[in-house]
Amino acid sequence: MVVAAPDLKTAQQKRLTVTTEVIADDTTVIRSLDWDRDRFDIEFGLQNGTTYNSYLIRGEKVALVDTSHAKFRQLYLDTLKGLIDPAEIDYIVISHTEPDHSGLVKDVLALAPNATVVGAKVALAFLEDLVHQPFDRLQIKSGETVDLGNGHRLEFVNAPNLHWPDTIFTYDQQTSILYTCDAFGAHYCNEDTFDENLEALSPDFRFYYECLMAPNARSVLSAMKRMDKLGEIGTIATGHGPLLRHNLEELTGRYRRWSQEKSKSETIVGVFYVSDYGYSDRISQAIAKGITKTGVTVEMMNLRQADPQEVNELVGRAKGLLIGMPPSSGRGAEETQAAVSTILAAVKDKQTFGLFEAYGGDDEPIDTLQTKLSDLGLKSAFDPIRIKDTPGEVDYQRCEETGTDMGQGLAQAKKIKKIKSLDADLQKALGRISSGLYIITAAQGDVSSAMLASWISQASFQPLGFTVAIAKDRAIESLMQVGDTFVLNILEEGNHLDLMKHFLKRFPPGADRFAGVRTRPATNGSPILADSLAYLECEVASRMELSDHWLVYCTVDDGKVSKEESVTAVHHRKIGNYY
Ligand code: FEO
């Protein structure tokens, strides 16, 4: 049975609701539904809101697995009180301390003062900063258990980096439910508690993986190895979006496949950040996402908990290093500075590096580290990123594009080698496939992008639709997720060179692609190029993954031709193994 609490509108008139449902013996999910959560609010490119899932397990003892976001305070606590007298809660399991799951732990503790907080060592340390009061605690490791009685024996699995270093999974042997918090989740808000509609869920499931999990692909595979040793898993109870039950094998299979793919490159960038310091987590994640788009493997390491041997080992293997500046004083400063010293001692010349500040308020001086690394013979991939205020979508876009540039630089030698190895006759023959010339333009909020495109082909009459192939490392790819809108500008033969030259330029990360170009906004908000022959207003309907491109199928809502007598510019190539 699903029980829904009344709607609540926040000051910004966003719709928030809470539902509960019994999902197994003695087990109830409390889903906080955040219908209109903004893009870039938590993850980049949020389209369909999100949910925060919390679970109540009632054996002889009672456990609450995670809570909710603070914005649900009243709704969540009222709902919880409707299910149980919170004073009866014996354990509060903290899967992960990011405030979207732990934002109400302090409130629950006030109602359940005798509850023991269960979590990984790191989680308990983070939680102290969140609740600012003493609490009973139980620090657990992989394989350890808590017996709630009535068969509900909870077994814990360390799953660091999914998505913070503090993450644990919890497996209930009685119900075969695995509680995974961020892992296997999706920012997808609808009435369905479970994953009935695979087709509808798939694009968000994938995009969430790309944003949060791809930079931690090796950690995903390690966690999945540990999962394989548990008993049968009948349900994955996620922290966001629908719970996986109907398509569990398919969706976990995708995680395995994607993570194997993401971690197979021998070109590795070690990303060193400082969790819970300024916006270091998010900035590093945005840059890492940009790097993974180029096929380069990312391994993330939190400087707060970094084991010197592991730091040493990662620096030794990595071709590139990305370092978020640690604090120069305060909690954990000594450890993080020591970790940076370990990095400096382990670096090799010819490695590439990039540095960023994350608005932590008390950063180690970035220029000093920049100079030290340069003096040691390392090559700077980009000018240090200095975030001087709360980062917004433009900052995250710049960070992602910086990461892509860094990844492209590292992957270039291999790419050239691959291209050279192709058969000359074959590449010439393939080059005889010709196509039109187009500029794709997209704008969402404060973010915009554009790309010269030629691999475009009409694909359907009803609805009117076409496909476009977009290289995975294109900046605009992030703005072409299912449901996103854009404009296809069709270039005019004889009047295309200026636009073509402009958009062929290599733009620095975050640069305005439209500076000096005449545009007007389309109904969907994306720019129409005034000098194009025709334009189409489009929406992404689906995406198919290919080896190095996304094949994006789009439907067309509107369009116009400016000069009836003109024809489309055509692109004739000499070889088929490049554009
Ligand atoms: Fe959903 Fe990393 O918090």
Side-chain angles (χ1 to χ4, degrees), residues 42-43 52 96 98-101 162-164 181-182 187 208 212 239-240:
I42 29 177
E43 266 64 70
Y52 314 100
H96 166 39
E98 195 161 12
D100 48 340
H101 308 283
L162 308 181
H163 128 246
W164 279 359
C181 203
D182 277 345
H187 291 313
Y208 178 99
L212 280 179
H240 296 294

Side-chain angles (χ1 to χ4, degrees), residues 389-447:
D389 207 337
T390 303
E393 52 189 38
V394 171
D395 299 298
Y396 287 122
Q397 183 191 25
R398 179 160 62 97
C399 289
E400 183 179 322
E401 291 179 16
T402 301
T404 301
D405 272 11
M406 184 179 187
Q408 283 171 339
L410 289 165
Q412 205 171 23
K414 259 198 175 153
K415 219 170 171 180
I416 291 168
K417 208 170 150 192
K418 250 189 191 170
I419 289 172
K420 278 187 180 160
S421 68
L422 277 183
D423 175 82
D425 285 337
L426 169 60
Q427 67 187 25
K428 280 184 202 161
L430 193 62
R432 292 311 186 263
I433 296 177
S434 59
S435 49
L437 279 169
Y438 313 88
I439 311 285
I440 293 173
T441 53
Q444 291 169 16
D446 294 337
V447 169

